[in-house]
Amino acid sequence: MAAVYDEDWLPGQVVNNPESFVSQLRESRLEADIFTFAQKIPDTKPKYQYPMEWDNVAAIPITTYADWWKQVSTDMRKDVKRAEKRGIVVKEVEFSDEIVRGVVEINNETPIRQGRPFVHYGKSFEVVNKEYSTYLDTCVFLAAYYEDELVGIIKMVYVGDLACIMEILSKTAHHDKRPVNALIAKAVEVCEKKQKSYLTYGPFFYGNKKKSSFVDFKRRNGFLRIIFPRYYVPLTFKGRIAIKLKFHRGWIGILPGFLISFLVALRSKMYRKNIFRFAVSK
């Protein structure tokens, strides 16, 4: 499967002339069977005749902060107020070594998040610095502090009329203070000032996985599911067969939702058990 590198973080419609683009791909030595590309919101009406699936994104339509505040759940409003009452302060910050050190500390707080190994656990200062220094000319950092301690951060990239959340992190030790909710509220406020049309945060649903704490989190914070066309262009005979058999969807798009939920719960249980054994052995 071939795709445009960092497609989500590039402004505008990345493939404006797909017929010419696909023709050149077929003539190249690229070892791929399928090329995939998408139309970005708000341009959601299909334009091309290639095989297509409806993809989706979690997005908050930006009008005013007051409008968003009225539409979010009561729990979200309580959490934002709780964050303020418990001493969380959110502000826009410049990228710096201090921010990188704070992110490293958050990364290394726990090896397991959301029931699986945390991919950023154990990363060095140099690695985090390299990862967070991308798109500095089009991104903004929002940091949540408790007293002088960095307890949460959002990296948000401006992609045309969109503001796209690349990363949200927070310390689990300060979960009771709701720093993430305060960060999202601040992000909406910043988006209004910058006159962005949407604040996005990855897919709303991942394949057929329709139930998860992550989905509940996005829904409570005012994110909506917006669908858009994603095209799958066969480049080889194998690619044409794979598309007909729906293999391009991957396992999470093929297996039924109840089975995915069962397997995810089983995986989380196994990870918790292994962590417990490791802690006891130490």
Side-chain angles (χ1 to χ4, degrees):
M1 186 88 75
V4 176
Y5 181 73
D6 270 6
E7 178 183 23
D8 292 342
W9 313 107
L10 301 176
Q13 301 304 331
V14 178
V15 183
N16 288 315
N17 189 344
E19 189 172 327
S20 173
F21 194 89
V22 169
S23 177
Q24 293 179 62
L25 281 180
R26 286 179 174 145
E27 293 174 2
S28 72
R29 295 183 179 181
L30 183 70
E31 295 182 0
D33 300 299
I34 299 171
F35 170 61
T36 181
F37 70 100
Q39 288 177 217
K40 294 186 178 181
I41 62 170
D43 184 15
T44 59
K45 185 177 180 179
K47 292 180 177 180
Y48 311 112
Q49 298 302 313
Y50 300 115
M52 188 203 87
E53 301 270 359
W54 286 108
D55 206 339
N56 74 105
V57 64
I60 297 174
I62 301 298
T63 51
T64 66
Y65 182 90
D67 285 343
W68 169 79
W69 186 256
K70 293 175 185 176
Q71 295 169 10
V72 296
S73 66
T74 302
D75 288 341
M76 171 60 177
R77 291 195 290 270
K78 288 180 179 178
D79 286 340
V80 174
K81 292 176 181 177
R82 178 185 298 179
E84 184 178 359
K85 289 179 180 178
R86 295 188 178 184
I88 296 296
V89 176
V90 179
K91 55 188 177 182
E92 188 173 332
V93 296
E94 297 291 331
F95 180 70
S96 65
D97 287 354
E98 180 185 351
I99 290 298
V100 175
R101 283 191 289 270
V103 172
V104 171
E105 189 173 323
I106 295 173
N107 284 348
N108 292 328
E109 184 186 23
T110 174
I112 299 291
R113 284 179 184 255
Q114 296 178 345
R116 60 181 178 179
F118 185 43
V119 296
H120 301 303
Y121 181 78
K123 287 184 177 179
S124 66
F125 176 94
E126 291 73 22
V127 171
V128 173
N129 184 70
K130 182 179 179 180
E131 291 178 346
Y132 269 69
S133 61
T134 58
Y135 298 101
L136 288 181
D137 55 337
T138 56
C139 81
V140 61
F141 294 93
L142 305 177
Y145 289 93
Y146 176 67
E147 297 177 348
D148 293 326
E149 180 184 2
L150 181 71
V151 298
I153 191 164
I154 280 182
K155 180 179 180 180
M156 187 166 64
V157 181
Y158 297 137
V159 184
D161 289 336
L162 310 179
C164 306
I165 295 175
M166 182 176 281
E167 185 85 85
I168 297 181
L169 282 176
S170 68
K171 284 191 174 180
T172 58
H174 293 276
H175 175 72
D176 64 308
K177 301 179 183 67
R178 303 296 191 265
V180 171
N181 302 95
L183 282 165
I184 290 176
K186 184 66 174 180
V188 172
E189 181 184 315
V190 170
C191 286
E192 180 189 356
K193 291 179 181 178
K194 295 291 184 179
Q195 297 183 323
K196 298 300 176 181
S197 57
Y198 291 93
L199 171 64
T200 71
Y201 184 24
F204 196 89
F205 293 140
Y206 289 85
N208 292 329
K209 186 181 177 184
K210 301 294 195 296
K211 295 181 180 180
S212 71
S213 58
F214 201 29
V215 171
D216 293 338
F217 166 81
K218 290 181 179 181
R219 187 177 286 116
R220 286 196 305 271
N221 284 273
F223 289 92
L224 306 176
R225 178 176 178 261
I226 298 179
I227 60 174
F228 58 89
R230 173 165 291 281
Y231 302 94
Y232 295 88
V233 186
L235 302 177
T236 65
F237 176 75
K238 187 196 296 184
R240 289 196 294 272
I241 297 300
I243 289 173
K244 285 185 180 295
L245 296 175
K246 308 299 183 184
F247 289 165
H248 61 286
R249 294 178 177 178
W251 289 115
I252 201 168
I254 295 174
L255 295 176
F258 74 88
L259 183 55
I260 294 172
S261 296
F262 170 77
L263 293 173
V264 168
L266 181 63
R267 180 187 66 183
S268 297
K269 184 177 180 180
M270 292 175 64
Y271 283 136
R272 285 196 299 270
K273 186 179 293 186
N274 289 337
I275 289 295
F276 175 74
R277 287 175 179 173
F278 176 74
V280 170
S281 65
K282 289 186 69 175

